[in-house]
Amino acid sequence: MTLLMGGVAYDPKVVTIWTGFRDWLRQAGLPFDFVLYSNYERQVEDLVAGAIHAAWNSPLAWVRARRMAGERVRPLLMRDTDQDLTSVVVVRSDSPFQRLADLKGHTVATGALDSPQATLVPGSFLRHNGLPPGEAVTIRRFDIGIGLHGDHIGGEREAARAMLAGETDAATIIDANHLLFVNEGTVPPGSTRVLASTDPYDHCNMTVVDTAPPDLVERFGQLLFSMSYGDPGLRPLLDLEGLKKWVPGRTTGYGALESEVDATGFYSADGAVTAADYQP
């Protein structure tokens, strides 16, 4: 039997990464292959149905998988860079806003409807600080890459541009992308400042289902954990995937996302897609 993993093709580099990982895993003796999906919703449905054994899931995809399958799914592992992330509320450096509360009655730009880091987690943060989105603040959303759960960062980039152009008063983006946008020139150095940061949260995990062959799942985990950043053959692939090492998966960093999924009705309690205007 071959261990079959699902991944979402949010960028051409996904093919390069997992083709390289597949070759390495096979050389290590693991029968492994992967299939690519155009959106996370289909990937989760196939995982729960047993059509694939593992899924490289976004945090939102994990939330849906757990709601659909309960304890039948578990996080096998995640990247070191998937833990303890923060999103930021950014304003122009010359903005009059000094505190988060100052945004009441104003407009905030966000990423896509299904972006955990640029829409849902910041939405939970605003809500729990007395600024419920759509009520205390007006939301201008940039729905780029719907179905990719924020892996396509075009929505965040456009949110930053709208804020800089004065079309909105603030923007919510993940901290790492704020730095990226400065480095790439989308956000000129010194043109913005961080008004507030969310509490730390976790991002992607490798989700496995209980119908997967346990011996292959165990070997899959062992091999990924053994990947060394010092290996010159693996390092370019690890760089593309954005990690230096794989770490054990955990579920403790998804609380804010779960809370906002419930507050917005994104998924029902059993994992049905109930978000308005969401068509991945």
Side-chain angles (χ1 to χ4, degrees):
M1 179 177 287
T2 297
L3 184 76
L4 187 60
M5 186 207 81
V8 170
Y10 67 90
D11 186 277
K13 71 178 182 179
V14 174
V15 176
T16 302
I17 293 166
W18 284 101
T19 298
F21 284 169
R22 179 182 63 185
D23 292 345
W24 187 88
L25 290 166
R26 286 179 174 179
Q27 289 171 8
L30 178 71
F32 172 83
D33 206 354
F34 66 94
V35 293
L36 295 181
Y37 291 84
S38 65
N39 65 81
Y40 278 105
E41 308 310 333
R42 180 63 58 86
Q43 176 170 288
V44 169
E45 290 161 8
D46 277 5
L47 177 71
V48 172
I52 54 177
H53 302 123
W56 187 211
N57 269 341
S58 75
L60 186 60
W62 159 256
V63 168
R64 187 180 187 210
R66 177 52 67 93
R67 290 182 180 214
M68 291 179 69
E71 297 299 321
R72 292 186 51 229
V73 294
R74 64 184 176 93
L76 179 66
L77 46 77
M78 55 205 330
R79 300 168 297 186
D80 53 348
T81 50
D82 281 314
Q83 297 185 342
D84 299 321
L85 307 180
T86 56
S87 292
V88 291
V89 180
V90 179
V91 297
R92 294 180 299 280
S93 57
D94 61 355
S95 165
F97 306 112
Q98 299 299 319
R99 301 174 304 141
L100 192 65
D102 295 339
L103 288 175
K104 185 173 183 180
H106 295 276
T107 301
V108 178
T110 73
L113 170 66
D114 59 348
S115 172
Q117 68 267 14
T119 304
L120 293 165
V121 170
S124 175
F125 177 69
L126 292 172
R127 191 180 305 278
H128 284 89
N129 281 277
L131 297 172
E135 298 176 25
V137 291
T138 299
I139 298 298
R140 182 177 174 189
R141 213 173 60 222
F142 289 87
D143 284 332
I144 298 173
I146 288 291
L148 302 180
H149 292 189
D151 285 350
H152 188 298
I153 64 172
E156 286 177 77
R157 187 176 281 111
E158 291 306 311
R161 285 174 173 156
M163 180 267 300
L164 285 170
E167 298 170 10
T168 70
D169 301 294
T172 56
I173 53 183
I174 194 169
D175 183 52
N177 282 341
H178 183 219
L179 296 175
L180 170 67
F181 297 159
V182 171
N183 290 334
E184 72 181 15
T186 297
V187 174
S191 64
T192 62
R193 54 185 168 84
V194 173
L195 191 65
S197 300
T198 68
D199 292 332
Y201 60 89
D202 288 351
H203 212 263
C204 302
N205 75 62
M206 185 70 72
T207 310
V208 294
V209 66
D210 63 354
T211 52
D215 55 332
L216 294 184
V217 169
E218 182 179 6
R219 184 61 177 151
F220 182 45
Q222 289 173 345
L223 287 172
L224 290 183
F225 285 134
S226 76
M227 286 182 168
S228 171
Y229 193 70
D231 184 328
L234 281 174
R235 180 178 293 186
L237 299 174
L238 295 172
D239 282 340
L240 280 176
E241 188 54 74
L243 75 155
K244 286 188 169 56
K245 65 178 180 178
W246 298 95
V247 298
R250 67 185 189 187
T251 61
T252 53
Y254 299 126
L257 179 59
E258 288 266 14
S259 175
E260 192 65 4
V261 165
D262 288 333
T264 60
F266 197 98
Y267 296 134
S268 66
D270 61 0
V273 177
T274 49
D277 303 322
Y278 181 52
Q279 295 182 328

